[in-house]
Amino acid sequence: MIWNEDAECMSREKKEELQLSLLKKVVKTAYENVPFYREKFDNAGFKVEDLQTLEDVSKIPFTTKDDLRKAYPFGLFAVPEDEIVEIHSTSGTTGTPVVSGYTKGDLEIWGECAARAIAMAGGTSKSKIQNSYGYGLFTGGFGIDHGAKTMGATVIPMSSGNTDRQLKMMEDFQSDIITCTPSYATYLAESLEKRGYKPEDISLKAGIFGAEMWTEEMRSQLEEKLGITAHNIYGLTEIMGPGVAAECIERNGQHIQDDHFYPEIIDPKTEEVLGFGKKGELVLTNLTKEGMPIIRFRTKDVTALREEKCPCGRTTVRMDRVTGRTDDMLKVKGVMFFPSQIEEALLSITGLTPNYQIHVTRPKHLDVIEIKVETSPELFSDEMKGLDALEANIAHTIHNKIGIRVNITLVEPESLPRSEGKAVRVIDERNFD
């Protein structure tokens, strides 16, 4: 099903004409209404009238996550605050969260884009969508919610967690689409299996999964265990939320809603714009957002763009599966954090040394974090009961810091590797190929 054929199947010539028109408008709006952009453009020597072709977008300076943090909370709003009707935010795991504000018109566009994504997975106005993304400041739950309501589908706003109730509602309400992170979908599938359910015992037909990287192998297992087609969805708080891009039934890349978001790929080191088919860092520009338009945002996500028309009939540019990030931020179970945050948590506890290693693995396709921590000689010689209590305290402290649970292993003093250069703090053994 194609939700909006005029937009999703537009000719390339017409699309580029529309993009240029929208790009000129949003750049002018940002310059005139957001002091941050006025200063940034002036400092770079860029004038609004310099934008005459789509290629001229390369003359515009980039926007980074650091820029957004410095503008916290409302420094990038392009409209008066009383026109903002909804606010979302990242978790602030690096100290300062990133805020995104939406006008009524922005929510309509978000609903439109998310509806297109749901339609790509086979959703219709008759669908019952069990939305198991988290509701709240996180964009996941509300993004799907806006899209489902735009489509006229029935939303079951489960949010994340409470697995027993998730399974009961899945059975009782006969949900036919499940939306959540792929790792949580795996857990749901295992939980159903333990209870003796077979795919034919539930009504699910499709899953829309995002917020973390996942493999084709995981897709195959989810499809087999849940009896569904599994679709990737992409979004980010800085630009909008889920619905920026999504997979159709062909699943040969995610269709970017490029009448609302202008995509580029750059070399992350030289910042040179790369052509179609070349892997690099994804850069996105809002074309239609009113409340907080973001210009040339460096996402840090590594992918490539494809321009060939999809067999599904859509002509929108597609992006390959994201295979990594250009920075050292970790993304585990849909939550992003820096290793330095774990160090801060560890150093707040008396008796621990600053020597530790973070091991990230994916047994059975579920992310697991084990943190090996050296203790002082005095603590390590303590009785087992005391060490168990200390491990529990460390795990609790880190959970409060980054929002996800970790496994703690206390090790002997001086047992972890030392380095004369940069210490190897993170060992990520997950495979996203």
Side-chain angles (χ1 to χ4, degrees), residues 299-314:
T299 68
K300 302 293 186 181
D301 287 327
V302 177
T303 184
L305 298 179
R306 311 288 171 181
E307 66 174 334
E308 302 84 9
K309 182 178 179 179
C310 182
C312 75
R314 293 175 178 85

Side-chain angles (χ1 to χ4, degrees), residues 32-263:
E32 293 177 349
N33 296 288
V34 185
F36 162 80
Y37 278 116
R38 188 178 311 121
E39 181 180 357
K40 197 172 190 68
F41 291 177
D42 288 347
N43 288 342
F46 172 77
K47 294 181 172 55
V48 174
E49 53 267 27
D50 292 339
L51 187 61
Q52 296 299 320
T53 68
L54 284 177
E55 288 72 26
D56 290 336
V57 72
S58 63
K59 300 175 183 179
I60 305 174
F62 296 106
T63 304
T64 67
K65 184 162 284 191
D66 283 341
D67 291 329
L68 272 62
R69 291 193 190 103
K70 290 174 184 175
Y72 177 86
F74 305 142
L76 288 177
F77 285 2
V79 299
E81 287 183 32
D82 61 2
E83 292 184 28
I84 298 293
V85 299
E86 188 165 306
I87 290 176
H88 288 277
S89 171
T90 61
S91 61
T93 51
T94 56
T96 303
V98 169
V99 170
S100 186
Y102 305 75
T103 64
K104 184 179 179 181
D106 292 334
L107 293 186
E108 291 174 356
I109 289 171
W110 193 2
E112 161 72 16
C113 292
R116 294 181 192 178
I118 294 169
M120 288 185 208
T124 70
S125 60
K126 296 180 180 180
S127 296
K128 293 179 182 177
I129 301 173
Q130 185 155 323
N131 188 9
S132 300
Y133 284 112
Y135 279 70
L137 287 175
F138 172 57
T139 56
F142 275 95
I144 296 296
D145 197 284
H146 292 318
K149 289 174 180 174
T150 296
M151 175 174 280
T154 300
V155 187
I156 306 169
M158 292 298 301
S159 196
S160 55
N162 201 343
T163 300
D164 285 337
R165 195 174 185 207
Q166 295 271 5
L167 301 180
K168 180 173 176 55
M169 296 301 101
M170 191 182 296
E171 181 182 17
D172 293 350
F173 294 172
Q174 297 185 327
S175 317
D176 53 12
I177 296 178
I178 180 75
T179 64
C180 59
T181 64
S183 57
Y184 189 56
T186 299
Y187 182 67
L188 288 173
E190 291 175 349
S191 299
L192 281 166
E193 197 170 39
K194 287 178 182 178
R195 288 161 174 77
Y197 285 90
K198 297 178 181 179
E200 55 267 27
D201 295 329
I202 57 177
S203 301
L204 290 182
K205 295 182 177 62
I208 302 175
F209 307 128
E212 62 186 14
M213 290 179 280
W214 53 302
T215 63
E216 285 299 316
E217 183 182 9
M218 183 185 288
R219 188 206 297 271
S220 297
Q221 291 203 5
L222 284 172
E223 291 186 335
E224 180 182 352
K225 291 183 177 181
L226 293 175
I228 62 172
T229 58
H231 299 257
N232 217 331
I233 190 169
Y234 179 83
L236 56 169
T237 302
E238 295 85 350
I239 296 297
M240 184 183 73
V244 171
E247 286 180 322
C248 67
I249 198 67
E250 298 291 334
R251 293 175 296 175
N252 57 358
Q254 297 183 73
H255 292 269
I256 298 175
Q257 309 306 335
D258 54 9
D259 54 331
H260 294 290
F261 315 100
Y262 185 75

Side-chain angles (χ1 to χ4, degrees), residues 5-50:
E5 188 169 352
D6 287 343
E8 297 177 75
C9 303
M10 191 182 301
S11 70
R12 177 55 49 194
E13 181 180 9
K14 187 175 180 181
K15 176 68 65 62
E16 290 180 352
E17 183 180 332
L18 173 64
Q19 288 174 327
L20 181 58
S21 174
L22 293 173
L23 190 60
K24 287 181 177 181
K25 182 179 179 181
V26 76
V27 167
K28 184 173 185 291
T29 296
Y31 184 82
E32 293 177 349
N33 296 288
V34 185
F36 162 80
Y37 278 116
R38 188 178 311 121
E39 181 180 357
K40 197 172 190 68
F41 291 177
D42 288 347
N43 288 342
F46 172 77
K47 294 181 172 55
V48 174
E49 53 267 27
D50 292 339

Side-chain angles (χ1 to χ4, degrees), residues 312-332:
C312 75
R314 293 175 178 85
T315 57
T316 43
V317 166
R318 285 170 287 127
M319 58 182 277
D320 289 351
R321 179 187 293 274
V322 173
T323 56
R325 293 180 59 78
T326 60
D327 56 17
D328 64 347
M329 183 179 285
L330 281 171
K331 190 170 189 178
V332 180

